[in-house]
Amino acid sequence: MIVKFLRKSETFKGVNYNSRKVDKDKGELMLVSGFGALQGMDYLRPSDYINYLEAVSAKSSRIQFPQLHVAISCKGDSHTKHELTNIAKQWMKGMGYGEHPYIVVFHNDTDNAHVHIVSTRIDRSGKKVRDSYEHRKAYQVLNRIMGEDTREQLSNSLAEALAYRFSTRPQFAMLLEAKGYQLSLKGRNYELYKFGALQGTVPLATVEARMSVYQRDKKRITQLRAILEKYRLLHSGEVFPVSLPLPGGRAGPAYAYSSKLAEVLQKKFGVQILYHGAPGKPPYGFSVLDHSEKMVLKGKELMDIRELLIPKVDLEIQNYPTDTLDMEALKVSIPDAAPDDYKLVIAGVHTGENYTPERDVTSEKEDFHLSAIKGFSLDIADDVDDEQILGPTRRRKRKARTNTR
């Protein structure tokens, strides 16, 4: 389960946001609580809820951002909308907002079922509910509601991490960081933090004992190399920034990276790519968490990072001059997965045919680019008379060729 505090607001924009979801059949109003006589009325408008929340919040003029807007999400559809609503109700009580006016709206427009809660941080006496360490408290309350023991979670996470094969300390740390923990080496122990609090420790000797039995799996490395070579021709390796969650479920800065290729490999093969690099700069390396075979690998064992980051399909013909390439070379170099129109465009470069595809070949699902051919580009400037250049076109019109190049 995840709990997330959404953007602060001086007004109650969350009410309108959730109302629009309901209007588009992407949400359902599940609970209205604490609105007094207003709840007995039919056909309430969003403005009715907003006016009530503003009236309560007006009792304190010192609070600049009175809105409380929270989302509670489960994995997939593991909980029904009614179960999530009940969890939200208990969570509001545990956080000290149980007597406040609030609404709960279920959203069905994502892969993970979730509810939104909109309320005010001001109670009826004009006092603000204390929000010190509220992100940490939010998970403490949620875990208590769900009956989850964080110590048991840590024990299970450690057992899973130590079941993997790894050769360095940072690789062990990657396994636990992937589960949301932060590690700090203190003396001869790793301290593990989650939800903003120390969850436990693991002796460094335990980690080093697991490292000592590591053996390089040459067969699996060969398999992974083949997978990378195949799928990088079909999916772009160009990286884009993503936000990593901070303790307490908050969104962190965009200092991690992912790519279309990485997403496909994790979904299809259970192979997770972790890019290494400074914020705002291209990654200088990568590691692989092979969840299928329970092992961690250095990226350089599989592929040079520069090859992995290529944003376009490499047709392996860059080293040939475009005026000497023959069709046999093209047949070998063009991937089978390339769109047919793309192959015909390339063929036209060497046969002299001015082929125009019926559709935009670059709009294909796979990311193929003409610019992968060294020295080849298309000039479609409006002031160029193509018929003065394209000899085959003029011959078809029974006109003499004007260029002799």
Side-chain angles (χ1 to χ4, degrees), residues 118-133:
V118 182
S119 183
T120 174
R121 293 179 175 274
I122 313 300
D123 65 19
R124 298 182 189 278
S125 66
K127 295 181 179 180
K128 180 184 177 183
V129 175
R130 292 187 61 184
D131 58 358
S132 299
Y133 305 105

Side-chain angles (χ1 to χ4, degrees), residues 54-82:
E54 288 178 344
V56 173
S57 304
K59 295 181 179 180
S60 174
S61 59
R62 296 181 297 105
I63 307 304
Q64 184 179 2
F65 303 106
Q67 177 182 261
L68 174 71
H69 191 183
V70 179
I72 297 179
S73 173
C74 66
K75 186 175 182 179
D77 57 357
S78 59
H79 290 74
T80 68
K81 60 185 179 182
H82 300 290

Side-chain angles (χ1 to χ4, degrees), residues 16 25 164 170 274-275 316 355 363:
N16 285 325
D25 292 327
Y164 279 68
L274 299 179
Y275 298 95
E316 299 180 356
Y355 176 77
S363 66

Side-chain angles (χ1 to χ4, degrees), residues 310-329:
I310 293 178
K312 303 170 184 176
V313 175
D314 182 0
L315 296 177
E316 299 180 356
I317 60 176
Q318 290 92 331
N319 295 327
Y320 295 89
T322 58
D323 58 349
T324 61
L325 276 176
D326 57 29
M327 290 308 297
E328 291 303 316

